[in-house]
Amino acid sequence: ASDKQNADRAVVELKRISRDFKTPVLTLSSFSRAFYEKKASMEAFKESGGIEYSADVLIGLNYTLEGKKKIKAQDGKTHEVTYIDTAASKKQDPRIVELTVLKNRRGESEVTLRYSYFSKNDLFEELARLD
């Protein structure tokens, strides 16, 4: 089976466990590398459409420090784009991160919370709600 098929099978089994035993199941998923410089979104979940389909709640976590870079479009014109600068973000102390509720079947979604992350202590301190 492919990685995607294996991931889909695992997600379906986790959903069954949650339903049958009436217990929450927390699953972590990495983002595709193509989304490292973008804000968290449902499209960023790696390998499996089953994750965003089956989950009751999806939460994304990303850095907030933005950078600007120039890119050349196919038409030859140069455009300035904004991106999330992960390298610069990792050098901050504390690091500023945003937690965004991307999906919530039984509650509020599109909620964003901002935190200071103290990596030396693995500690998050809430700063503000941004919606």
Side-chain angles (χ1 to χ4, degrees):
S2 71
D3 287 345
K4 182 184 180 337
Q5 290 169 325
N6 287 334
D8 284 342
R9 210 172 295 127
V11 168
V12 167
E13 185 61 20
L14 289 169
K15 185 66 174 181
R16 185 194 64 74
I17 290 168
S18 174
R19 184 191 63 238
D20 291 354
F21 294 99
K22 296 178 178 38
T23 187
V25 173
L26 180 66
T27 305
L28 300 177
S29 175
S30 59
F31 282 169
S32 168
R33 283 191 180 96
F35 288 89
Y36 282 3
E37 295 182 345
K38 300 177 184 176
K39 290 201 177 239
S41 66
M42 291 203 306
E43 294 83 25
F45 285 89
K46 194 175 185 174
E47 290 298 327
S48 175
I51 294 171
E52 62 265 23
Y53 177 77
S54 298
D56 291 329
V57 178
L58 285 176
I59 297 172
L61 188 65
N62 58 262
Y63 294 116
T64 60
L65 193 59
E66 294 181 343
K68 298 207 181 271
K69 62 182 172 182
K70 295 185 182 207
I71 60 166
K72 191 174 266 189
Q74 289 181 350
D75 62 7
K77 294 182 181 178
T78 302
H79 302 276
E80 188 172 81
V81 295
T82 302
Y83 70 101
I84 295 177
D85 192 338
T86 56
S89 293
K90 288 179 182 179
K91 293 176 184 173
Q92 287 185 308
D93 188 31
R95 300 172 188 170
I96 307 302
V97 296
E98 284 181 355
L99 178 147
T100 303
V101 179
L102 302 169
K103 175 184 174 182
N104 188 350
R105 287 196 178 147
R106 295 175 184 86
E108 194 175 3
S109 62
E110 300 305 320
V111 174
T112 301
L113 302 167
R114 189 167 275 196
Y115 292 87
S116 291
Y117 174 61
F118 300 88
S119 60
K120 291 177 187 168
N121 302 331
D122 203 20
L123 173 71
F124 288 86
E125 183 177 279
E126 188 174 344
L127 293 174
R129 182 171 166 161
L130 305 174
D131 53 351

